Amino acid sequence: MKTENQTGEAGMDLVERYLSAVAAQLPKDVREDIVAELRDEIMGRLEALEGRLGRAATDDEVEALLREVGHPLTVAARYRSGPQALIGAELYPWWWFAVKVALMVLVCVTVLGAVARVATGDIYVGKAIGQAINGFISGGFTLVGVLTVIGFFIERQDRKPKFISEWRVKDLALFEIGNLDAETWGERLAKGDWSGPKAQKGVEVRKNAQMSPAARAVASAIGWTVLLLWWTNLTPITPVRPQDLAGVISGVDYGVILRGIVETAYWPVIVFALARIAFDITRAATGSPVRLTALGDLVFAAATAWAMWWLFFHSPLSPLIWVPTAEAFWQRVVDLFRSGDFQVATVIMIAVVWGYIAEVWRMIKSTARLIVGRES
């Protein structure tokens, strides 16, 4: 075989440089074998080319042949084990759905923040809209990046989470409730129909449409991730500035009160959110076992109930909402409805007490599920 001599030193230099580029992308333990195999393939194709031409191949012809073989990065990828994509075809629909849900939550948080700032007179409408759009774009990029990193690591696990490999028909309600079909919404808006999808009637239909625990875990993890990013200002959706979210009402500066609450609760909220996200991911990956879910719900309900207790008795808000007895509580509620005035402190008092009762009830239900080992 005279191919090497016919091709000449320049042509062979191109081949060797190409092989070196491929070798740099290969694992050391298989590098020599793969490069030797690839060299034989290229030299065989080069010999066939020169046989057809009846002369030595020029440098441009050698380079064209190497382009036909493929770029070194692409060729080396054929010999590597493991995933060949950032997010594979199986996981991509899940990633895309998570992106759409996260962006929907982001829109809600952004709009609420902008409305609150306009309502309190902190900013003009035009400026609020501009900042909201800027925050949404920045926050959107951050969310997509976070979800991509999560997808990257999931893609490289030997075993995919159970919510992907062992899905149930009941879980599909999550995707129907999302109703994220842009074309459908575009048609509705074009017709002036701002309403959502029409709910089907019937107790059994509503019961069957409820999300399974695993599906709820996925949705919860996405929601808590968005809220955590907002709370920590890692994404500039709306800065957590209490003075922007409240003002002086009936002689009470609620901005100062909220600032004190945020300063005290900042790190506890971060810990709570991180724990909640980790718990939801664990539930989704394991199929959401009943006792694991019940234990987590019990712990988080207890933590939330403690937060409500703190708000009522020891927070900067306590002097406005604390009452010594149930009779005094009921009297304030009666006065609220009789006076017809919007008494912010009384409304907050009712919300805190109601939240505490709701969390205690959730603790009772979670304890029952933890004992019997099945959903009630």
Side-chain angles (χ1 to χ4, degrees), residues 333-344:
V333 174
V334 172
D335 292 342
L336 173 66
F337 288 98
R338 283 180 176 175
S339 64
D341 296 331
F342 185 74
Q343 302 173 18
V344 176

Side-chain angles (χ1 to χ4, degrees), residues 5-292:
N5 294 331
Q6 290 177 350
T7 304
E9 293 183 2
M12 289 308 302
D13 181 60
L14 292 175
V15 173
E16 291 303 322
R17 287 167 61 184
Y18 176 86
L19 293 173
S20 297
V22 175
Q25 313 302 322
L26 297 171
K28 290 184 179 181
D29 55 340
V30 296
R31 182 176 298 171
E32 292 184 4
D33 294 338
I34 293 176
V35 169
E37 177 186 340
L38 189 57
R39 178 181 283 108
D40 289 341
E41 178 188 345
I42 292 173
M43 297 308 295
R45 295 175 67 165
L46 189 55
E47 181 181 7
L49 173 63
E50 293 181 336
R52 293 194 304 271
L53 296 174
R55 59 175 173 78
T58 64
D59 291 350
D60 290 340
E61 290 168 338
V62 172
E63 193 160 7
L65 183 145
L66 293 175
R67 281 198 293 268
E68 292 178 2
V69 175
H71 192 281
L73 292 175
T74 305
V75 173
R78 300 173 191 162
Y79 297 95
R80 285 200 299 265
S81 59
Q84 298 295 321
L86 190 66
I87 297 177
E90 182 184 11
L91 186 61
Y92 176 80
W94 291 87
W95 173 85
W96 180 234
F97 178 78
V99 167
K100 291 190 288 187
V101 172
L103 290 179
M104 287 182 65
V105 176
L106 179 60
V107 168
C108 295
V109 174
T110 303
V111 171
L112 289 175
V115 170
R117 298 185 67 186
V118 171
T120 56
D122 174 69
I123 193 173
Y124 292 111
V125 175
K127 187 176 181 181
I129 294 175
Q131 291 185 357
I133 293 174
N134 179 68
F136 175 76
I137 293 174
S138 302
F141 278 115
T142 301
L143 287 174
V144 172
V146 170
L147 291 172
T148 301
V149 171
I150 294 174
F152 174 84
F153 285 106
I154 293 178
E155 182 65 38
R156 278 144 187 82
Q157 300 302 311
D158 294 332
R159 296 181 60 184
K160 294 294 188 293
K162 288 188 176 181
F163 69 85
I164 294 178
S165 58
E166 300 179 13
W167 60 271
R168 299 177 299 175
V169 174
K170 189 176 182 180
D171 295 342
L172 302 182
L174 171 66
F175 304 96
E176 294 183 5
I177 291 174
N179 195 19
L180 301 174
D181 183 354
E183 183 177 352
T184 300
W185 276 105
E187 293 176 356
R188 285 202 180 108
L189 295 178
K191 296 177 181 178
D193 181 7
W194 294 81
S195 62
K198 301 300 185 294
Q200 299 180 6
K201 298 180 179 180
V203 177
E204 289 300 321
V205 173
R206 290 193 296 270
K207 182 177 179 181
N208 292 334
Q210 293 177 353
M211 288 186 289
S212 71
R216 288 198 300 269
V218 175
S220 176
I222 294 173
W224 276 105
T225 299
V226 173
L227 291 176
L228 178 62
L229 293 174
W230 171 74
W231 180 261
T232 56
N233 286 336
L234 292 179
T235 176
I237 302 171
T238 299
V240 183
R241 295 188 300 169
Q243 62 271 27
D244 295 337
L245 303 178
V248 178
I249 303 176
S250 300
V252 179
D253 192 341
Y254 285 93
V256 173
I257 293 174
L258 282 176
R259 186 185 302 112
I261 292 175
V262 170
E263 289 176 354
T264 304
Y266 183 78
W267 285 107
V269 169
I270 291 177
V271 172
F272 181 93
L274 288 173
R276 183 76 217 195
I277 294 169
F279 171 67
D280 288 331
I281 293 175
T282 301
R283 280 203 301 154
T286 58
S288 198
V290 174
R291 281 196 166 92
L292 173 64

